[in-house]
Amino acid sequence: MIIKYFLAVAFVITFSTTSAVATNPIMITISSDMNKVIFDGRWSHETEWKRSSLDTLSYDDGTYIQLRTAHQDNFIYVFVDAVSDIYLDKGIDGTIVCFDTNNDKSLLPDSNDYCFVATLDEREPFVLQGGSLESNDHLIKIANPDGFIGISSVSDENDRYSKTPHTSYEFRIPTNLVGRSDIYGFYLGIYDGHSDKIHSWPQDLVSDSIIKIPTPSIWGELVSPDKSLPEFEWPMLAILTAFSLSAYLTKFRYR
Ligand SMILES: [Ca+2]
Ligand SMILES: [Ca+2]
Ligand SMILES: [Ca+2]
């Protein structure tokens, strides 16, 4: 069994080295509107995810996914709009979003790798962490962190890309867990129960199960191009500035 797994990993590495190199990173944007997102698993109204980055993922078999990403305060927000998945396989369609928080691209998932899973119409999203010796794939379920949301439902008339009912996913991922960085390793796996296929980002990473993820060494990257994600938030910076100014003035006065 273990040998089979390592063979599978070796195959994935060989197969995908070129595509991983060729993949442009996902550029995440800072947003001031993400705290207004209604977490119901779908486009709730037309402007809901407007202030976020857009990446269009299209595949040779006609699959078409719109990915929106943004960050605000202590959360990373991800919307996966599986526009072409019009077969609503409740309890089966699912998406996994993974972060290699140190971007150290290890061969097997390590303890700074986290994955977040949501399933269509199921209220119980879950979180996996790498580095476990208890499971063959080195991933183990951990308690959902405070503030984490993963929810999936059906997007239709309010969707910016298609009014035909289709599966979509909303995630809110706490930076308390994944940390603040201007570059993460990043992997997405979107499973459609009707075709029984996983479409990944980066593309063509072979995986036969939604929670059996390809090796982090070939994941893509999620980048904060203006480095706004790792920086201090403005309120914190303002408090620090005010504090040092008052400390300086106090010192000056008693000289
Ligand atoms: Ca929504
Ligand atoms: Ca489906
Ligand atoms: Ca890692």
Side-chain angles (χ1 to χ4, degrees):
M1 185 66 197
I2 291 176
I3 291 173
K4 214 169 146 191
Y5 175 71
F6 280 107
L7 283 176
V9 170
F11 173 73
V12 168
I13 295 164
T14 331
F15 184 77
S16 307
T17 310
T18 44
S19 67
V21 170
T23 304
N24 292 323
I26 303 286
M27 300 287 192
I28 191 169
T29 186
I30 188 167
S31 176
S32 54
D33 272 4
M34 291 296 101
N35 55 349
K36 296 174 199 141
V37 166
I38 300 160
F39 282 93
D40 52 4
R42 64 200 187 95
W43 280 97
S44 312
H45 56 83
E46 270 194 31
T47 58
E48 188 182 31
W49 283 84
K50 198 175 173 190
R51 289 171 187 271
S52 60
S53 301
L54 167 66
D55 287 271
T56 300
L57 316 179
S58 53
Y59 302 80
D60 290 345
D61 63 359
T63 297
Y64 172 56
I65 292 159
Q66 298 284 17
L67 170 67
R68 310 289 308 226
T69 54
H71 70 91
Q72 181 180 9
D73 301 329
N74 297 323
F75 297 102
I76 291 172
Y77 294 82
V78 178
F79 186 90
V80 177
D81 200 8
V83 180
S84 60
D85 185 7
I86 56 169
Y87 297 97
L88 311 173
D89 308 291
K90 295 186 178 176
I92 301 171
D93 283 349
T95 282
I96 189 166
V97 182
C98 297
F99 288 76
D100 175 359
T101 61
N102 283 14
N103 198 26
D104 45 16
K105 303 180 193 295
S106 57
L107 208 52
L108 296 167
D110 63 19
S111 59
N112 61 53
D113 300 338
Y114 295 96
C115 295
F116 304 85
V117 181
T119 310
L120 178 59
D121 264 8
E122 277 201 2
R123 298 281 152 171
E124 290 176 5
F126 59 90
V127 182
L128 300 167
Q129 182 180 15
S132 165
L133 298 175
E134 290 168 34
S135 66
N136 280 347
D137 60 5
H138 289 236
L139 290 163
I140 195 167
K141 216 187 248 197
I142 58 168
N144 286 359
D146 282 349
F148 163 62
I149 300 174
I151 184 164
S152 171
S153 185
V154 176
S155 287
D156 42 35
E157 72 251 31
N158 295 321
D159 193 286
R160 287 169 75 85
Y161 308 106
S162 168
K163 312 287 178 208
T164 309
H166 58 271
T167 309
S168 55
Y169 305 84
E170 288 177 315
F171 292 91
R172 188 177 76 175
I173 293 159
T175 52
N176 279 347
L177 187 71
V178 297
R180 294 181 164 276
S181 173
D182 63 334
I183 181 160
Y184 299 90
F186 191 67
Y187 167 78
L188 261 185
I190 300 112
Y191 176 69
D192 165 33
H194 179 76
S195 61
D196 191 26
K197 273 189 184 158
I198 293 168
H199 290 88
S200 65
W201 186 91
Q203 290 195 19
D204 304 324
L205 303 195
V206 178
S207 176
D208 58 6
S209 145
I210 189 77
I211 55 166
K212 194 168 170 188
I213 55 161
T215 159
S217 63
I218 55 167
W219 294 1
E221 285 170 343
L222 179 83
V223 170
S224 168
D226 59 1
K227 296 192 169 24
S228 55
L229 184 42
E231 276 172 6
F232 278 122
E233 295 295 302
W234 278 108
M236 180 59 86
L237 197 62
I239 290 164
L240 284 177
T241 312
F243 180 77
S244 17
L245 191 65
S246 83
Y248 172 78
L249 288 176
T250 313
K251 218 171 159 188
F252 187 74
R253 201 183 299 153
Y254 288 106
R255 253 215 267 209

